[in-house]
Amino acid sequence: MGRKMEWAGLANHMGGIPRKLVFMAVGAFSKIVANRLNSTSVHNANTLFHLVQSRPSGVPLLTVSNHMSTLDDPVMWGFKGFPIFNAKLARWVLAAEDICFKNTVLSYFFRLGKCIPITRGGGIYQEHMNEALERLSDGAWLHTFPEGKVSQEDAPIRRLKWGTASLIVRAPVTPIVLPIFHNGFEKVMPETYFRGRRPPFPLCNKKINIIVGEPLEFDLARMRQTAISTSRNLSLPTRGWPSISPNKMDELAQRCLYATISEQIRTAMENLRIFSKSFQAKGVKSIHF
């Protein structure tokens, strides 16, 4: 499949007016769900706000979070004070092709909403991952759900897919990586609300908690060398991945490197999940900035 309606995601498409209209409408919906129909508490919101608005020019931002419902994005950006209506500042996000891009109308809408189609199970070198890399090359903000699918269980963060790690390694400028953990969306939009289906509208009077972590640091030069050394002792079947620069890393070295980065991100997200327990127990009110 070609680069599905990528033209609709361009900032200058029809003067940018359709994109602005979509962000105004979706932003209003997110604000209502997060703040009027439900209550949202945010920890460390200033870190996210600063990186979205004031990070160094040309440096991309990559936020990662758990995935608890189909409403996580965009409602998680609807908390009070966040500039969700600003289409220029808004995140790009990897979105499941089989859900968000099922037909022409949906494809056009989600493209205007700065969504990049990803084929689940299509591998980390599928076509649209290159599009995600292009956005990072532009210094943009990209959000991913590295668990790969919705999970509404109160359970430890699962093993992460390697796509996010591959973007960190392959980006021309290493992105700032910011972990986020949230809960409450599983109550706002439960997967099995009635006869195994989601409710037609978001539920009300629920508590949403968003825990923003601190940026992660990756010593990629050292991690590459370690991965190359480790891979020399491995004998595993390969999948035909291309070698990547620098160091012309072969597939086994890449797999070692992606596994290490993914585990570091998973650990950070799990620590935020554990912290969220005490955050909820304190009953902290929404943080404004």
Side-chain angles (χ1 to χ4, degrees):
M1 186 177 296
R3 307 189 98 184
K4 187 174 288 186
M5 282 197 183
E6 187 177 354
W7 51 268
L10 298 177
N12 61 358
H13 169 59
M14 295 181 66
I17 294 175
R19 176 186 284 186
K20 290 179 181 178
L21 291 175
V22 164
F23 274 93
M24 287 176 62
V26 174
F29 167 80
S30 300
K31 293 284 187 184
I32 291 170
V33 173
N35 306 302
R36 297 290 181 87
L37 301 182
N38 300 281
S39 62
T40 300
S41 299
V42 187
H43 173 77
N44 198 27
N46 284 324
T47 294
L48 175 62
F49 183 80
H50 173 74
L51 290 175
V52 167
Q53 186 166 323
S54 306
R55 68 184 179 278
S57 177
V59 177
L61 171 63
L62 179 59
T63 52
V64 296
S65 76
N66 58 316
H67 202 3
M68 299 208 79
S69 82
T70 54
L71 283 183
D72 294 355
D73 184 284
V75 177
M76 65 183 294
W77 315 118
F79 62 86
K80 293 179 181 178
F82 194 79
I84 193 171
F85 298 108
N86 190 324
K88 185 176 181 180
L89 288 180
R91 89 292 168 268
W92 290 85
V93 63
L94 302 185
E97 186 175 47
D98 60 326
I99 296 176
C100 301
F101 294 81
K102 291 190 293 186
N103 56 51
T104 301
V105 174
L106 285 176
S107 296
Y108 184 65
F109 175 80
F110 282 103
R111 275 298 194 180
L112 292 176
K114 299 175 74 171
C115 297
I116 299 173
I118 290 296
T119 303
R120 288 185 287 192
I124 62 177
Y125 289 104
Q126 61 181 279
E127 179 184 9
H128 290 292
M129 288 293 280
N130 291 328
E131 185 182 341
L133 278 174
E134 290 172 7
R135 301 291 75 77
L136 291 176
S137 300
D138 296 337
W141 168 25
L142 175 69
H143 184 74
T144 72
F145 297 100
E147 290 177 294
K149 62 180 180 180
V150 168
S151 174
Q152 300 199 323
E153 300 175 359
D154 181 13
I157 301 296
R158 296 167 299 177
R159 176 185 176 276
L160 306 184
K161 304 294 185 181
W162 289 350
T164 297
S166 76
L167 291 174
I168 295 169
V169 171
R170 297 160 63 202
V173 176
T174 302
I176 299 170
V177 180
L178 185 70
I180 299 172
F181 177 84
H182 54 75
N183 58 26
F185 288 110
E186 76 282 7
K187 297 176 182 177
V188 177
M189 184 57 70
E191 289 284 293
T192 55
Y193 178 68
F194 181 70
R195 294 185 177 178
R197 296 180 178 272
R198 306 182 191 102
F201 303 101
L203 303 185
C204 306
N205 300 318
K206 310 299 182 182
K207 292 183 178 180
I208 299 169
N209 298 291
I210 300 173
I211 312 294
V212 179
E214 296 296 334
L216 301 178
E217 294 185 4
F218 300 97
D219 185 347
L220 289 182
R222 179 186 61 79
M223 295 174 79
R224 284 190 184 96
Q225 292 303 319
T226 301
I228 291 171
S229 298
T230 302
S231 68
R232 290 172 182 154
N233 300 318
L234 298 178
S235 179
L236 298 171
T238 59
R239 305 169 186 172
W241 290 1
S243 61
I244 61 171
S245 299
N247 306 115
K248 294 296 181 182
M249 294 183 68
D250 62 19
E251 181 175 325
L252 292 181
Q254 292 174 57
R255 289 165 69 174
C256 290
L257 180 57
Y258 297 161
T260 300
I261 292 174
S262 295
E263 181 56 25
Q264 188 172 334
I265 295 172
R266 192 202 67 80
T267 299
M269 292 170 62
E270 176 62 15
N271 288 338
L272 294 179
R273 187 187 74 87
I274 294 171
F275 175 78
S276 72
K277 302 292 186 180
S278 61
F279 180 70
Q280 289 175 256
K282 293 176 182 177
V284 182
K285 295 181 179 179
S286 297
I287 296 176
H288 305 271
F289 51 85

